[in-house]
Amino acid sequence: MKNAAALSEHLSATAPVAGGSRSRRVGRAEPEVSPAASADLSTRDRVTQLLLERGATTAAQLGSALGLSPAAIRRHLDAMLADGDVVAREQAVRGSRGRGRPAKVFLLTDAARVRCGTHHYDNMATAALRWIARNGGSDAVEAFAAEQVAALEARCRAAMEDAGDEPLARAEALAGALTAEGYAANASTIASGGQLCQHHCPVAHVAAEFPQLCEAETAVISRLVGTHVQRLATIAHGDGVCTTHIPAQPRAQSGITVTTVRTDR
């Protein structure tokens, strides 16, 4: 079968072309990509990047951000749905909802996140943590998770050196430091305080089985921001974004921070 395949490849490479001559084979020719196809790939890359940064997003929001018409953005999203790069869900609506069906939001699939550079060595990391859990118990897993984020904490703390003491200002500085680490993070002010969002998680698949990784990371955020925080959503638990709430309250006089992590999903 290998010889037949090689023969077929040779015949294809030297088959007659228009004009009666045979094509010259110099190495393996790359398929030509038309300008239109190249533009489509570029736009899909931009859509992918936006979904990575924003999490669940409507077609209208994507089109507005990219300057595309509803028909154009729909064409790209339909192609990405067919290729398994995105999934569509109904948009969650808080409070009273108007008439009509809720808008759909689009999220990257796990496979698309992998191509964005996430989840390296997941199988090996999960196997290692299972071994630690079997031989050392939950405390050993927690100690391992804390040690793994210690270096990240040190780098972020150095980057936040000039951020001051105000928690929301520190959250903004932390977002910048985490973005430099590849977490695609941003911070914003909301009515009840602040919110830190991480749109990229390099250990999401592993953390889905070992929430100690999320807990250790949340503890780091609490220490770096300087107040207690509450993790509201995580990519590891199926959310589009890791969201950490920073309540608008003064730091406790004792200096002790309290960390709350959602693990009920």
Side-chain angles (χ1 to χ4, degrees):
M1 292 297 293
K2 290 183 178 180
N3 290 336
L7 178 60
S8 175
E9 183 179 359
H10 172 75
L11 292 175
S12 298
T14 58
V17 295
S21 62
R22 291 183 179 272
S23 63
R24 295 178 57 196
R25 179 168 180 167
V26 182
R28 185 179 296 274
E30 294 294 332
E32 294 185 1
V33 179
S34 68
S38 179
D40 279 351
L41 289 175
S42 176
T43 301
R44 283 184 60 165
D45 288 342
R46 294 164 64 200
V47 172
T48 298
Q49 184 61 34
L50 274 176
L51 289 174
L52 181 65
E53 293 175 357
R54 298 186 179 186
T57 311
T58 66
Q61 291 167 337
L62 289 170
S64 176
L66 296 174
L68 296 175
S69 67
I73 192 64
R74 179 64 63 183
R75 177 169 61 85
H76 288 291
L77 289 172
D78 286 345
M80 295 175 75
L81 282 166
D83 290 344
D85 289 340
V86 299
V87 292
R89 299 177 182 171
E90 286 193 352
Q91 185 177 33
V93 179
R94 294 179 174 84
S96 59
R97 193 181 76 190
R99 299 179 61 184
R101 298 181 61 182
K104 284 186 177 180
V105 293
F106 297 86
L107 304 92
L108 289 179
T109 61
D110 289 341
R113 287 180 181 277
V114 167
R115 288 194 293 276
C116 291
T118 61
H119 317 315
H120 295 307
Y121 307 110
D122 281 355
N123 292 339
M124 183 179 294
T126 301
L129 281 168
R130 288 172 180 166
W131 188 93
I132 293 172
R134 284 196 307 270
N135 291 275
S138 179
D139 289 345
V141 175
E142 291 178 9
F144 173 84
E147 184 172 315
Q148 289 302 299
V149 298
L152 174 66
E153 179 175 2
R155 292 194 299 272
C156 288
R157 190 176 295 280
M160 298 168 60
E161 188 174 359
D162 299 326
D165 298 327
E166 204 278 319
L168 297 185
R170 293 189 64 80
E172 290 182 358
L174 177 56
L178 288 173
T179 295
E181 294 284 340
Y183 286 80
N186 68 277
S188 58
T189 301
I190 58 177
S192 57
Q195 191 164 270
L196 177 70
C197 293
Q198 297 158 250
H199 303 275
H200 185 78
C201 177
V203 295
H205 284 181
V206 184
E209 183 172 343
F210 294 96
Q212 294 94 331
L213 295 172
C214 290
E215 292 167 4
E217 183 182 279
T218 308
V220 165
I221 293 173
S222 176
R223 290 193 293 268
L224 290 175
V225 171
T227 187
H228 76 280
V229 299
Q230 183 179 13
R231 184 58 70 80
L232 301 178
T234 63
I235 295 172
H237 288 133
D239 300 300
V241 179
C242 294
T243 305
T244 305
H245 181 236
I246 304 164
Q249 60 183 52
R251 187 175 181 177
Q253 293 298 319
S254 63
I256 299 175
T257 59
V258 179
T259 306
T260 304
V261 183
R262 190 187 68 180
T263 59
D264 57 344
R265 281 195 163 192

